[in-house]
Amino acid sequence: MDTMQLKAFAKINLGLDVLRRREDGYHEVRMIMQTIRMYDKIVLKKTMNPGIHVSVNLSYLPVNENNLVYKAAKLLTEEFAVREGIAIELKKFIPVAAGMAGGSSDAAAVLFGVNRMFQLGLSQQELMDRGVKIGADVPYCILRGTALAEGIGERLTPLPPMPDCQVLIAKPGISVSTKYVYENLHANTLTEHPDVDGMLKALENQDLRGITSRMDEGNVLERVTVKAYPVIAQIKDFMRSQGALNAMMSGSGPTVFGIFDDPGAARRACQRLKKRNLAKQIYLTSPYNRRPL
């Protein structure tokens, strides 16, 4: 196999709680992750020239070790002394720096592809164990589907799939520093937390409204990001006014997603949101529950 084409799917957080900041600086989290039908495209090719060669369709993204796809390929090729070179062509469609794990998903896809292309024989769990060295979301992006993430995000428990619905994605034209959000959260002083357990029960019962009813305070990071960027709250309010069962920020932001149980209302909301000056990137999609990578 000299060429592989891969899809790297985005995620949203149905629930995101931060329990504490550890002494090593990492944060203990409890999150419900959900893959959605939005993806980057990756082509892997073996080359006669040794080394890793990355090309990206966005000129402002790095093509060296600062890109997670490069790190993923390097991690496996060095460990297994792969002699051939690898060319990685990355076409980005997932919004960048948006709280949707685009970079982590790209890295996960490359780990999967390199493992198969060079017949390294690593299991899914072995890939996940290596993925966490690249980023906390990478193991989940290998698992995909609906999952509870704990620890720093690397301890994963598969969950029942999210019920059928439509997911409206809106990313405003701003960039949010994940580091800034976590540093200003003051996790060790939090007294109110999202109802993650209630959301887990709603997933078990396939109760979509039970899930969305717990999204009002479902992402603890909103307390920092929304305060800094009020447009996030404006997008949430607009989605609710257009028929969303609820709307919430994904990850550290700034992307907002709205959950709809009415396809017609979701399409109308998407078109109306495009006419407003609230978001730069707007997509209508749905949950993706096929697993694993």
Side-chain angles (χ1 to χ4, degrees):
M1 188 182 298
D2 294 334
T3 302
M4 287 188 71
Q5 296 186 20
L6 302 162
K7 295 178 180 178
F9 285 84
K11 65 85 181 168
I12 54 176
N13 297 93
L14 299 177
L16 196 165
D17 194 10
V18 180
L19 305 181
R20 67 184 181 95
R21 178 170 179 160
R22 308 192 315 191
E23 291 182 2
D24 61 6
Y26 287 100
H27 287 78
E28 289 275 350
V29 297
R30 197 159 183 256
M31 306 183 292
I32 298 177
M33 315 278 268
Q34 175 63 51
T35 310
I36 59 173
R37 293 179 183 276
M38 176 187 295
Y39 55 85
D40 294 337
K41 295 181 179 180
I42 297 173
V43 178
L44 297 183
K45 293 181 181 179
K46 288 183 182 178
T47 66
M48 298 300 294
N49 297 326
I52 300 163
H53 313 277
V54 177
S55 62
V56 191
N57 63 326
L58 300 179
S59 60
Y60 56 85
L61 292 181
V63 294
N64 53 20
E65 291 193 35
N66 293 320
N67 193 310
L68 295 188
V69 298
Y70 190 109
K71 289 184 178 181
K74 182 179 179 182
L75 188 151
L76 292 186
T77 55
E78 287 190 349
E79 178 180 352
F80 290 89
V82 174
R83 294 182 179 181
E84 297 100 322
I86 304 175
I88 305 172
E89 180 184 333
L90 172 60
K91 290 187 177 180
K92 292 291 297 179
F93 298 97
I94 302 170
V96 177
M100 302 183 73
S104 294
S105 190
D106 296 338
V110 170
L111 289 175
F112 173 87
V114 171
N115 180 52
R116 178 164 291 188
M117 177 175 279
F118 294 98
Q119 299 180 327
L120 304 182
L122 295 173
S123 67
Q124 181 195 63
Q125 186 59 54
E126 288 171 330
L127 286 176
M128 291 165 67
D129 292 341
R130 286 161 175 78
V132 75
K133 300 175 184 177
I134 301 169
D137 282 343
V138 176
Y140 165 73
C141 293
I142 293 171
L143 178 67
R144 303 199 306 201
T146 315
L148 175 67
E150 299 175 288
I152 63 169
E154 87 290 3
R155 292 204 330 261
L156 298 167
T157 304
L159 299 172
M162 188 177 181
D164 289 340
C165 61
Q166 290 71 49
V167 183
L168 180 56
I169 301 291
K171 179 186 181 290
I174 55 176
S175 296
V176 173
S177 164
T178 299
K179 181 179 179 182
Y180 167 85
V181 174
Y182 274 96
E183 285 182 349
N184 286 274
L185 181 64
H186 309 300
N188 293 341
T189 64
L190 294 176
T191 56
E192 296 181 5
H193 294 271
D195 184 11
V196 174
D197 287 333
M199 192 171 284
L200 292 173
K201 187 67 174 177
L203 277 166
E204 184 180 328
N205 295 332
Q206 291 293 281
D207 178 6
L208 182 61
R209 289 180 179 267
I211 294 167
T212 56
S213 67
R214 291 170 171 86
M215 285 168 49
D216 288 331
E217 299 294 335
N219 183 348
V220 73
L221 299 183
E222 287 189 352
R223 300 173 195 182
V224 177
T225 313
V226 173
K227 187 180 294 185
Y229 303 100
V231 67
I232 294 170
Q234 294 172 27
I235 295 172
K236 289 172 58 178
D237 290 343
F238 183 80
M239 287 185 179
R240 292 185 188 119
S241 75
Q242 299 301 308
L245 299 179
N246 215 333
M248 195 175 84
M249 185 181 79
S250 184
S252 56
T255 300
V256 174
F257 66 92
I259 303 295
F260 291 78
D261 61 355
D262 180 341
R267 289 192 295 270
R268 290 190 293 273
C270 182
Q271 292 303 316
R272 290 167 182 167
L273 186 57
K274 288 178 179 179
K275 295 178 181 178
R276 304 287 291 257
N277 194 30
L278 294 175
K280 188 174 182 180
Q281 294 169 276
I282 300 167
Y283 309 91
L284 184 59
T285 183
S286 59
Y288 181 82
N289 287 312
R290 181 184 170 191
R291 66 163 108 233
L293 216 171

